[in-house]
Amino acid sequence: MGSAFQFMFKTVDQPEMTGIPADNKMPDRRPSPQKVFQKTYQKNRESNFTEKIEALDDHFNYADNSGHYWSEPQQSLLYGTPFYQEASETQKLALNHLYWVFGYTATAAAEVQTTMFNQVTAGVFQQLGGYDTLYQELELETEQEKSHIHAFNKINQKTTNHLLGPGVFSKLLKRPQIKASKPSKDGKGKARALGFIAKGMLKHHSKTYSPYLRDLETKYSIIPAPTSGFGYLGKNTATQDLLRFYIMSWGGSPFLASQYYNVRYMANMLLKNREHKIFRYCRKLQKKEAFIPAPTAVSYYHLLDEAFHTNMSQVIGRDLYHEWDCPTPYEKFLSNISIYWVQSSSLQGLNAGIPGLYLKDEKFFMGFLYQLLQQPLFGLSAPEALQRIQECFGEEHEGLHVSAQWHQQLLNDHCRFFQEFSYLWPVNRDFRLMASGGKLDRVMAQNKILLQEFTNETLRAESETIHTAA
Amino acid sequence: MPLSDHYQNLNLVNGSQPPEKALEKVVRSKSAAEIQEWLISHLATSFELDPHSIDVQQDFMEYGLNSIEMVNISGELEEYLGCRLDPTLILNHPNIQVLSDFLAEFTAALPGDRPKTAQEAQQILANIDEMSDEDVDKLLNTMLENANE
């Protein structure tokens, strides 16, 4: 069955889809990937940014940092909205801290995925042989990610416990539509079928199949697909299945293993888009000899640590596959779909209430901010909070303009990097989905529709609550 | 001013507990059964499930646990057990039974996981301002250097 699928894709997907001839040569001006791996591994081992993050993690105390901005005010929830303009200084500080927490909750979730995907793909390179340094660097990065996640989680929990009370922030971020339940036999059957297809479609998969993935298969009844991280993967069961399919594909082919690093690069750059601004803020404070809050310092060292990871993502995703046979049309197809998917889910939106958030799921975040405004810290009634959400998403304001500018910066970075990928579809090479998501008139038109839906749903829910209580 | 000085000053200004004391954790060794009970209760609360319906041999992921919740649970387990844990440990310990057995063994074997002292933290942080803007930019541009070499 596998070979039948391979045949089908070979006949329907041809290199001329991109308009650029397939070519497996790496530009001569670049050093070999092996040389870069050795240099990066050596520099990363010599650095001690992770240890510094661990020290800050060990000693974090919210009270010591509560009276200071952790980044420029632009990096605050609801920045630029009428509510923000009228907020008290204490509330503005809280919105700034909660922005940090919000961002690093997402980063921690994405890094959980990274620890797994690094190991899945490192296993493929290990099976290929001759990539010992790459394997060691990925192992080191995985350990570093664990320290990062730990620090983010500690700061996030202490901060939100203080500002909102234990468990409140997590509850606000929880999606009501995902209910825990016993998995159905259908779900397990579907997962097995997807695994069968993923493996069947890949040539020689048994020779390079990731030992880490094989180990997971023996431990779990279905391979875990840690969701809610980058790419907003797993927002529902359909995308969870798709993610699981990708994990098995990344772990079964050297080309696809290397292409996972293009997705990781997109995550690295999205993080850098936010974190480099905190980094510059930290440098500014240092020069002024002003107090540096611990979370600001964590961001500073994290950016430095992640510079190694970004470098690796770039070289593995862009250069490494030139050392192997040309990828099959099916492999190129999967690589394109993954980039298209991330563009569509994570980069195509422009959130009016959370600057620098490009997820295309505005309605969920309207709900998040609506609930947040009703917490004692902000003290709004339900109708007042709804009015603030309508102002935030229904009117153009400075926060939205700031977000559009940052979105454009990231778009330029991606277009520059992905231009030379000959096998990418034009929609991916030029990041056309992402570009369409940054247009303000379109954002405002979409917000108008979503806001109407959100208002109707909220009013209906409120009236049902009142009716039930009565 | 070095970044480390900020933290030194801060401790003096606040006059709070010395950091070593404030952060000291006592490892609480628990049996596998106790940890299992804690995990069942936690999962039941988080997912609004009847504790009796939870199967200790069922994969965590099958309960709809996502990456954020995975990290949250490990953070709360740390508080409960009083020791630093790998925030991704659920990835390698698929269900309540396996995780409880592992943690019971792990905490029993810990000699006392001493966190870094404030002095050590300050020493680690002491060199930040030795990096010039040029050094920092150079490091951040590693990828560009590699691309253009």
Side-chain angles (χ1 to χ4, degrees):
Chain A
M1 186 166 179
S3 51
F5 270 111
Q6 283 166 15
F7 175 75
M8 184 178 78
F9 272 91
K10 274 179 184 163
T11 56
V12 296
D13 182 9
Q14 299 299 324
E16 51 270 23
M17 279 181 89
T18 62
I20 295 173
D23 170 355
N24 210 25
K25 270 191 178 172
M26 195 176 82
D28 293 336
R29 61 190 153 84
R30 291 208 189 108
S32 73
Q34 294 285 8
K35 199 174 154 193
V36 179
F37 298 153
Q38 276 161 11
K39 201 169 148 188
T40 310
Y41 181 52
Q42 186 194 341
K43 282 186 176 177
N44 196 358
R45 275 182 64 191
E46 287 165 5
S47 78
N48 58 359
F49 306 128
T50 309
E51 287 78 357
K52 290 175 177 179
I53 292 172
E54 285 169 358
L56 290 161
D57 170 352
D58 276 349
H59 293 270
F60 179 71
N61 179 342
Y62 181 70
D64 292 344
N65 299 278
S66 61
H68 304 265
Y69 279 84
W70 296 354
S71 56
E72 296 288 359
Q74 283 91 339
Q75 292 188 298
S76 301
L77 297 182
L78 296 165
Y79 175 76
T81 65
F83 175 78
Y84 187 85
Q85 309 294 349
E86 294 163 31
S88 69
E89 187 55 26
T90 310
Q91 289 172 334
K92 282 183 178 165
L93 277 170
L95 289 168
N96 179 259
H97 299 169
L98 289 171
Y99 180 89
W100 194 97
V101 169
F102 180 87
Y104 284 100
T105 298
T107 303
E111 291 192 346
V112 168
Q113 291 183 323
T114 305
T115 61
M116 180 182 176
F117 304 160
N118 279 359
Q119 292 175 89
V120 166
T121 53
V124 177
F125 304 134
Q126 185 190 23
Q127 292 292 89
L128 266 182
Y131 292 98
D132 292 351
T133 313
L134 171 58
Y135 183 80
Q136 287 167 326
E137 168 62 20
L138 292 174
E139 269 197 328
L140 175 63
E141 288 181 14
T142 300
E143 289 311 307
Q144 289 172 334
E145 299 290 21
K146 289 177 185 175
S147 293
H148 301 166
I149 298 165
H150 193 280
F152 299 148
N153 190 42
K154 167 95 156 288
I155 296 173
N156 289 348
Q157 285 200 346
K158 288 199 168 190
T159 303
T160 53
N161 284 355
H162 185 94
L163 290 173
L164 304 170
V168 174
F169 190 76
S170 313
K171 211 171 164 188
L172 296 182
L173 277 179
K174 204 167 229 171
R175 296 183 164 277
Q177 66 267 39
I178 298 184
K179 282 267 175 199
S181 59
K182 287 210 168 201
S184 63
K185 281 186 182 169
D186 283 357
K188 287 190 180 180
K190 195 162 55 173
R192 282 193 196 102
L194 284 171
F196 181 70
I197 295 170
K199 290 174 189 175
M201 287 300 294
L202 299 169
K203 278 196 298 190
H204 315 304
H205 90 272
S206 56
K207 289 182 195 159
T208 52
Y209 199 64
S210 169
Y212 175 79
L213 199 47
R214 209 184 298 279
D215 183 46
L216 285 181
E217 281 177 328
T218 60
K219 280 184 188 164
Y220 284 89
S221 56
I222 306 177
I223 286 179
T227 55
S228 293
F230 182 63
Y232 215 34
L233 312 174
K235 155 171 109 164
N236 54 45
T237 48
T239 54
Q240 208 165 358
D241 287 334
L242 188 56
L243 177 60
R244 191 169 284 118
F245 175 77
Y246 263 95
I247 292 169
M248 288 185 277
S249 302
W250 288 330
S253 137
F255 176 75
L256 289 175
S258 75
Q259 295 308 288
Y260 152 67
Y261 290 85
N262 286 334
V263 174
R264 198 181 89 163
Y265 173 76
M266 289 161 78
N268 296 144
M269 293 306 284
L270 181 63
L271 171 74
K272 193 180 167 197
N273 188 251
R274 169 167 47 93
E275 202 169 52
H276 192 255
K277 294 167 183 67
I278 311 179
F279 177 88
R280 285 205 311 263
Y281 176 73
C282 185
R283 296 293 284 178
K284 192 172 96 178
L285 295 179
Q286 264 181 290
K287 280 179 188 157
K288 281 173 28 187
E289 299 196 354
F291 173 76
I292 297 173
T296 311
V298 167
S299 296
Y300 178 97
Y301 290 123
H302 186 247
L303 184 86
L304 294 173
D305 233 358
E306 286 289 323
F308 296 117
H309 303 195
T310 308
N311 186 28
M312 289 297 290
S313 298
Q314 209 173 25
V315 176
I316 301 171
R318 184 192 60 196
D319 298 339
L320 188 59
Y321 76 91
H322 294 290
E323 297 189 354
W324 310 319
D325 291 344
C326 279
T328 66
Y330 170 73
E331 288 174 318
K332 291 181 200 172
F333 173 78
L334 281 198
S335 182
N336 268 292
I337 292 289
S338 65
I339 293 176
Y340 188 90
W341 183 16
V342 173
Q343 271 201 78
S344 143
S345 64
S346 293
L347 302 172
Q348 207 187 356
L350 210 56
N351 197 295
I354 308 174
L357 177 70
Y358 314 133
L359 286 174
K360 202 180 164 197
D361 195 9
E362 288 84 352
K363 217 156 80 177
F364 173 73
F365 293 103
M366 285 177 191
F368 163 74
L369 292 167
Y370 170 70
Q371 297 292 337
L372 182 70
L373 288 174
Q374 292 176 65
Q375 299 304 311
L377 175 66
F378 302 107
L380 299 193
S381 65
E384 285 168 340
L386 185 58
Q387 191 202 327
R388 292 309 195 174
I389 295 300
Q390 286 165 341
E391 289 168 356
C392 170
F393 288 90
E395 299 165 14
E396 277 194 38
H397 54 77
E398 198 192 334
L400 188 61
H401 291 150
V402 164
S403 207
Q405 197 190 331
W406 296 347
H407 187 265
Q408 185 62 43
Q409 286 167 358
L410 185 62
L411 175 65
N412 295 344
D413 288 338
H414 281 326
C415 287
R416 210 168 23 246
F417 178 70
F418 284 99
Q419 269 314 302
E420 71 169 77
F421 286 71
S422 62
Y423 60 85
L424 286 188
W425 301 333
V427 67
N428 283 334
R429 209 173 333 113
D430 301 333
F431 274 71
R432 290 180 189 171
L433 290 186
M434 182 181 178
S436 70
K439 293 190 170 64
L440 276 181
D441 49 348
R442 194 178 148 161
V443 171
M444 290 311 295
Q446 274 175 346
N447 278 359
K448 204 174 163 187
I449 299 167
L450 294 170
L451 201 50
Q452 191 57 53
E453 286 174 13
F454 177 76
T455 304
N456 294 343
E457 286 164 19
T458 305
L459 292 175
R460 202 179 310 130
E462 294 291 340
S463 110
E464 276 168 17
T465 312
I466 293 166
H467 184 72
T468 314
Chain B
M1 186 193 288
L3 194 57
S4 56
D5 286 357
H6 292 289
Y7 297 97
Q8 202 161 21
N9 291 343
L10 190 73
N11 293 329
L12 295 173
V13 170
N14 287 339
S16 53
Q17 275 185 298
E20 301 84 10
K21 291 252 175 188
L23 291 155
E24 222 166 66
K25 282 180 173 177
V26 179
V27 178
R28 288 180 282 275
S29 186
K30 302 276 183 189
S31 70
E34 286 172 305
I35 298 171
Q36 197 163 299
E37 201 180 320
W38 185 94
L39 281 167
I40 289 171
S41 156
H42 189 95
L43 221 58
T45 312
S46 294
F47 290 100
E48 296 167 17
L49 292 170
D50 173 5
H52 302 291
S53 73
I54 292 178
D55 177 354
V56 294
Q57 290 181 329
Q58 188 171 321
D59 292 356
F60 284 113
M61 300 295 164
E62 293 175 6
Y63 285 102
L65 204 69
N66 66 28
S67 318
I68 297 174
E69 284 144 356
M70 205 187 287
V71 174
N72 284 343
I73 289 187
S74 77
E76 284 164 39
L77 267 171
E78 270 197 12
E79 289 296 316
Y80 174 62
L81 297 170
C83 61
R84 189 180 169 104
L85 296 174
D86 172 358
T88 66
L89 89 170
I90 288 180
L91 276 181
N92 294 315
H93 301 90
N95 58 45
I96 291 178
Q97 190 172 7
V98 175
L99 182 60
S100 309
D101 290 346
F102 164 77
L103 288 172
E105 212 173 300
F106 176 75
T107 50
L110 279 180
D113 187 22
R114 187 181 65 90
K116 288 181 180 69
T117 64
Q119 283 73 21
E120 283 172 305
Q122 282 159 13
Q123 208 172 359
I124 286 170
L125 291 166
N127 295 327
I128 184 165
D129 64 340
E130 287 174 11
M131 287 177 80
S132 65
D133 280 354
E134 205 182 359
D135 289 339
V136 169
D137 289 343
K138 206 170 163 187
L139 185 61
L140 287 173
N141 288 330
T142 310
M143 45 192 163
L144 295 174
E145 278 174 37
N146 284 323
N148 298 322
E149 244 173 62

